[in-house]
């Protein structure tokens, strides 16, 4: 079976249509162009590869979280146990491609000062990926268990997004950098007694005082000197987010800010948003224009392998379709990586820039009831985007699976290859109840990918939920596991040095501590006309909220509207979104839709709500789907209904 579509090759007569379609969606090509001037990768996407997947070893599971529950009978080495349902994160590979870093949660340790008491809480470990073991007989070792207090002052939790530096001696984990005193993390010289955990500090006040700015979603730039990150904002009761880029500088003796301990500081920070630049929408009198070429960085997701592009989730090109984009770090040139109407945001680009691995809902149809109908401009997204991104989860259950894409990304019938689409042994690596969670990671030689999964557990199954709870096949019936996918036909690529980039991002704005945070521009309330790029038009009414801090309602009527040759959209849509109470994240959405489209041949699609409309209450942090009424998309007689309500 081919996982990127029914046809391996497009007939030559379709070449012009495919190129026109890609042009209409402003897709930027990244692969070699033949002498004819035609990008041959459009016609000949890569064949599916052979993939072998195994589960990586982890510490044994404690029977409970009670003190002392992890006994020597469970772990004879006395090196700790992890909780059955305790969170973990895989990180990336060390330079030898035989180890990965990971954050795990230890449980059941004895009281201090008994042996083994250090194996408690969230810690950073290194895991062997080649089937071998460390000298003590474990396939893993803890780097931070037992680091003296004086060497971890000011540090915070290590759980989020562990990323080893290229030197193999340091790891970014949460808002900290773990340093093994110059020793490679996997070597016998790397022991807790010589390691440090340094906090990361971002100055956000004029005089440098205070605890610093709140940072999240941290990603190391491949030059290992800079870091990208995101930060939430709250303006007029509206939650927002900006992405930033800065240089990491070690300061052993800070004299301002808290904590005043040896720390890494973010210097020469750039906000990756310019209010004076082209925005996703612009207004000229009564004409509203959609600008798909606008550089609109939402949440930063990482960098290309060579570091020349910033990878991010950006403003939608199509309604309800959340995609990943890349922007050149010097020029700001934008290309779209994903186009499938499933939701994607976790991504890692291979060190040689030729491949991406994404985590996406495209194998589950989770978001298709909203997004399956293509070619709808992102107008209602001005108020509905929070809801459309929040439906990707069902509480703590995600619907991600890992997908392999070449450098050009989605196009035509090529939608990549699901890595775990086949069962490769007695363990079912493609069990849909095991859901990928966050960032997958490439090995430095481009032959392996690590990712982690969580099993569906209560309340997402069992009890009042009609979905029965599956049995875990992992050791100790763990609900988390780390997987290693090997692309068996690949030959290792040589890791090339990465050039250090400038502190200056020309298309961003230098961050000045203490300056007010900007508010993203949105078109003001009023009546507008949007003209299709091919033909037709849409009447659009925008209504602002009572506080004047954003839009509340978008109503659209389409009149033979077309953005792509042969695809014509008619009908209407009306969406209102309001915050509930004082919450920044809980929204109530009232949705009315009656849209139809026709396309080449017998292609047809519709997006329709029930007579009383579709009414959704959802919190973007809790992501629990609760709806009344229905919203249904139908494409060529294939019906996509909404998920069951969260119970």
């Amino acid at each position: 079976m081919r996982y990127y579509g029914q046809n391996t090759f497009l007939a030559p007569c379709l070449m012009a249509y495919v190129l026109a379609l890609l042009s209409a969606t402003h897709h930027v090509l990244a692969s070699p162009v033949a002498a004819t001037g035609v990008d041959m990768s459009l016609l000949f996407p890569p064949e599916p590869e052979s993939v072998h997947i195994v589960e990586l070893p982890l510490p044994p599971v404690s029977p409970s979280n009670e003190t002392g529950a992890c006994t020597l009978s469970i772990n004879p080495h006395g090196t700790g146990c992890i909780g059955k349902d305790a969170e973990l994160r895989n990180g990336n590979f060390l330079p030898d491609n035989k180890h990965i870093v990971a954050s795990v949660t230890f449980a059941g340790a004895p009281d201090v000062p008994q042996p083994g008491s250090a194996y408690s809480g969230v810690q950073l470990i290194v895991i062997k990926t080649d089937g071998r073991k460390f000298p003590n007989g474990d396939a893993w070792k803890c780097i931070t268990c037992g680091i003296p207090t004086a060497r971890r002052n000011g540090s915070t939790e290590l759980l989020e997004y562990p990323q080893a530096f290229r030197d193999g001696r340091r790891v970014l984990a949460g808002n900290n950098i773990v340093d093994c005193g110059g020793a490679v993390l996997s070597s016998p010289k790397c022991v807790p007694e010589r390691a440090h955990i340094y906090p990361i500090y971002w100055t956000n006040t004029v005089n440098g005082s205070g605890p610093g700015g709140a940072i999240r979603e941290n990603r190391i730039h491949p030059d290992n000197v800079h870091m990208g990150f995101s930060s939430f904002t709250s303006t007029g009761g509206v939650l927002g987010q900006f992405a930033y880029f800065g240089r990491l500088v070690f300061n052993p003796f800070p004299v301002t800010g808290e904590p005043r301990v040896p720390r890494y500081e973010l210097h020469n920070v750039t906000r990756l948003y310019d209010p004076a630049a082209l925005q996703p929408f612009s207004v000229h009198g009564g004409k509203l224009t959609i600008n798909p070429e606008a550089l609109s960085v939402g949440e930063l997701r990482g960098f290309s392998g060579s570091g020349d592009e910033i990878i991010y989730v950006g403003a939608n090109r199509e309604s309800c379709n959340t995609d990943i984009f890349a922007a050149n770090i010097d020029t700001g040139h934008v290309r779209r990586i994903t186009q499938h109407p499933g939701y994607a945001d976790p991504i890692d680009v291979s060190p040689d820039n030729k491949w991406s691995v994404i985590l996406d809902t495209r194998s589950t149809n989770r978001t298709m009831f909203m997004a399956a109908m293509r070619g709808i401009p992102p107008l209602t997204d001005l108020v509905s985007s929070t809801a459309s991104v929040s439906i990707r989860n069902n509480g703590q259950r995600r619907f991600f699976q890992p997908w392999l894409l070449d450098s050009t990304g989605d196009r035509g019938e090529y939608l990549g290859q699901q890595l775990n689409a086949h069962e490769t042994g007695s363990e079912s690596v493609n069990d849909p109840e095991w859901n990928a969670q966050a960032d997958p990671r490439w090995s430095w030689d481009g032959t392996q990918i690590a990712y982690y999964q969580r099993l569906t557990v209560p309340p997402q199954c069992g009890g009042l939920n009609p979905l029965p709870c599956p049995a875990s096949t992992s050791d100790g019936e763990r609900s988390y596991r780390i997987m290693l996918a090997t692309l068996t036909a690949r030959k290792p690529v040589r890791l090339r040095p990465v050039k250090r980039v400038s502190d200056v991002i020309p298309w961003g704005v230098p961050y000045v501590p203490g300056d007010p945070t900007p508010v993203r521009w949105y078109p003001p309330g009023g009546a507008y006309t949007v003209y299709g790029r091919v033909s037709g038009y849409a009447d659009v009414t925008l209504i602002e909220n009572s506080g004047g801090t954003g839009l509340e309602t978008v109503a659209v009527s389409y009149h033979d509207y077309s953005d792509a040759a042969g695809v014509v959209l008619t009908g209407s849509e009306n969406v209102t979104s309001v915050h509930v109470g004082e919450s920044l994240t809980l929204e109530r959405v009232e949705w009315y839709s009656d849209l139809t489209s026709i396309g080449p041949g017998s292609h047809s699609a519709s997006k329709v709500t029930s007579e009383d409309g579709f009414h959704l209450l959802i919190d973007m942090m809790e992501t629990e789907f609760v709806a009344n009424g229905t919203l249904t998309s139908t494409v060529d007689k294939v019906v996509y209904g909404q998920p069951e309500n969260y119970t």
Side-chain angles (χ1 to χ4, degrees):
M1 179 180 293
R2 305 188 188 280
Y3 293 93
Y4 49 74
Q6 297 176 350
N7 300 319
T8 307
F9 307 112
L10 297 176
C13 64
L14 292 180
M15 181 188 302
Y17 171 74
V18 173
L19 293 175
L21 178 62
L22 291 173
S23 176
T25 56
H26 294 259
H27 186 75
V28 179
L29 307 179
S31 53
V33 176
T36 60
V38 175
D39 188 326
M40 300 307 289
S41 71
L42 298 177
L43 302 181
F44 306 109
E47 289 287 332
E49 297 189 45
S50 174
V51 184
H52 180 65
I53 300 178
V54 297
E55 182 177 346
L56 291 179
L58 288 168
V61 172
S62 176
S64 75
N65 295 333
E66 297 296 323
T67 301
C70 179
T71 64
L72 290 178
S73 63
I74 298 172
N75 184 349
H77 299 153
T79 50
C81 302
I82 59 176
K84 177 180 176 181
D85 297 315
E87 287 191 81
L88 57 78
R89 305 280 191 275
N90 76 267
N92 64 342
F93 289 74
L94 297 186
D96 63 5
N97 298 301
K98 297 178 181 178
H99 301 82
I100 67 166
V101 294
S103 299
V104 301
T105 306
F106 284 93
D111 272 332
V112 176
Q114 298 180 52
S117 59
Y119 295 89
S120 179
V122 177
Q123 305 286 352
L124 181 73
I125 67 173
V126 172
I127 306 171
K128 285 187 174 290
T129 62
D130 59 0
R132 299 186 180 185
K133 296 185 178 181
F134 289 99
N136 70 344
D138 288 332
W140 55 274
K141 76 168 186 174
C142 187
I143 303 300
T144 56
C145 297
I147 291 181
T149 301
R151 291 174 174 262
R152 61 190 308 156
N153 279 339
S155 64
T156 54
E157 191 174 80
L158 301 169
L159 184 64
E160 298 295 336
Y161 307 110
Q163 299 157 66
F165 287 71
R166 284 192 173 206
D167 59 16
R169 294 170 169 83
R170 296 171 296 158
V171 178
L172 172 68
N175 295 336
N176 314 275
I177 291 178
V178 179
D179 188 323
C180 217
V184 174
L185 293 153
S186 57
S187 74
K189 295 181 180 180
C190 181
V191 293
E193 290 75 19
R194 68 179 296 171
H196 289 82
I197 307 177
Y198 299 112
I200 299 173
Y201 184 82
W202 176 32
T203 302
N204 66 336
T205 58
V206 174
N207 60 5
S209 63
I215 62 178
R216 63 186 300 271
E217 300 288 341
N218 304 334
R219 302 294 189 276
I220 302 172
H221 186 271
D223 70 2
N224 279 205
V225 174
H226 294 88
M227 188 181 90
F229 61 99
S230 298
S231 184
F232 282 137
T233 65
S234 174
T235 305
V238 177
L239 184 68
Q241 183 174 219
F242 290 105
Y244 299 83
F245 182 83
R247 177 159 51 94
L248 287 166
V249 177
F250 183 68
N251 185 351
F253 305 111
V255 295
T256 60
E258 301 295 338
R260 209 164 293 180
V261 298
R263 67 196 187 197
Y264 278 86
E265 297 176 347
L266 287 160
H267 289 196
N268 298 342
V269 173
T270 298
R271 181 185 290 116
L272 303 179
Y273 172 73
D274 182 357
L278 182 69
Q279 301 297 313
F281 293 86
S282 56
V283 172
H284 306 279
K287 180 182 177 182
L288 179 65
T289 301
I290 302 169
N291 303 313
E293 70 277 14
L295 205 173
S296 179
V297 179
E299 187 169 276
L300 186 141
R301 302 308 304 168
F303 302 92
S304 61
S306 61
D308 61 335
E309 289 183 312
I310 292 174
I311 313 298
Y312 63 95
V313 177
N316 290 359
R317 296 276 182 90
E318 298 174 272
S319 185
C320 300
N321 188 350
T322 302
D323 284 314
I324 303 172
F325 298 84
N328 185 277
I329 202 165
D330 293 321
T331 67
H333 179 72
V334 176
R335 67 185 183 94
R336 183 180 180 183
I337 297 174
T338 63
Q339 295 192 34
H340 188 281
Y343 176 93
D345 73 38
I347 183 173
D348 194 35
V349 179
S350 63
D352 63 2
N353 278 357
K354 293 182 178 180
W355 299 88
S356 294
V357 58
I358 65 171
L359 301 181
D360 195 290
T361 65
R362 63 182 62 187
S363 57
T364 66
N365 292 337
R366 174 75 182 179
T367 62
M368 296 292 276
F369 78 103
M370 277 189 175
M373 185 176 174
R374 308 301 296 273
I376 306 173
L379 293 166
T380 59
D381 299 67
L382 285 164
V383 297
S384 65
S385 60
T386 297
S388 62
V389 301
S390 301
I391 62 173
R392 71 189 188 277
N393 295 349
N394 180 25
Q396 292 301 306
R397 184 186 181 189
R398 297 189 173 187
F399 293 85
F400 286 149
Q401 295 298 342
W403 287 76
L404 181 68
L405 291 174
D406 70 8
S407 61
T408 308
D410 292 338
R411 74 270 189 188
E413 291 193 359
Y414 174 69
L415 301 174
Q417 175 186 350
Q418 185 179 337
L419 282 178
N420 60 341
H422 292 287
E423 187 172 340
T424 62
S426 59
E427 300 292 340
S428 183
V429 301
N430 63 343
D431 185 342
E433 300 303 337
W434 282 100
N435 300 270
Q437 295 294 289
D439 287 17
R441 292 293 178 188
W442 282 94
S443 62
W444 297 105
D445 65 2
T447 65
Q448 296 182 311
I449 296 167
Y451 62 97
Y452 75 100
Q453 296 177 307
R454 183 177 191 259
L455 187 65
T456 305
V457 297
Q460 285 77 51
C461 64
L464 297 176
N465 194 311
L467 177 69
C469 290
S472 173
T473 57
S474 293
D475 292 341
E477 299 183 344
R478 277 186 282 107
S479 60
Y480 283 86
R481 66 184 188 182
I482 299 177
M483 311 302 286
L484 179 70
T486 300
L487 303 167
T488 57
R490 294 200 177 191
K491 295 181 179 180
V493 298
R494 184 166 62 91
L495 181 63
R496 298 182 181 276
V498 171
K499 180 182 177 181
R500 177 173 170 175
V501 299
S502 170
D503 290 355
V504 178
I505 307 294
W507 45 269
V509 174
Y511 172 77
V512 179
D515 278 4
T517 303
V519 177
R520 287 188 188 270
W521 183 89
Y522 62 89
Y528 300 97
T529 300
V530 176
Y531 292 96
R533 291 197 293 271
V534 175
S535 63
Y537 66 97
D539 293 318
V540 182
T541 300
L542 307 180
I543 300 176
E544 296 187 56
N545 60 32
S546 59
T549 57
L551 296 174
E552 181 175 286
T553 298
V554 177
V556 189
S557 294
Y558 294 97
H559 306 277
D560 294 331
Y561 182 97
S562 177
D563 276 339
V567 180
V568 179
L569 176 65
T570 59
S572 63
E573 202 162 25
N574 188 313
V575 181
T576 296
S577 179
V578 296
H579 287 279
V580 178
E582 300 298 318
S583 174
L584 294 176
T585 58
L586 181 62
E587 290 189 359
R588 177 176 287 108
V589 182
E590 313 292 332
W591 200 309
Y592 299 87
S593 182
D594 186 9
L595 297 177
T596 59
S597 70
I598 58 172
S602 59
H603 173 79
S604 64
S606 65
K607 183 178 180 181
V608 181
T609 53
S610 54
E611 186 175 350
D612 58 344
F614 172 72
H615 311 278
L616 177 68
L617 181 68
I618 196 160
D619 190 301
M620 67 178 296
M621 295 301 184
E622 301 300 329
T623 63
E624 298 174 355
F625 186 92
V626 179
N628 292 311
T630 61
L631 174 60
T632 306
S633 292
T634 304
V635 178
D636 294 335
K637 299 183 181 180
V638 178
V639 179
Y640 298 100
Q642 67 205 48
E644 296 286 340
N645 279 354
Y646 186 92
T647 55

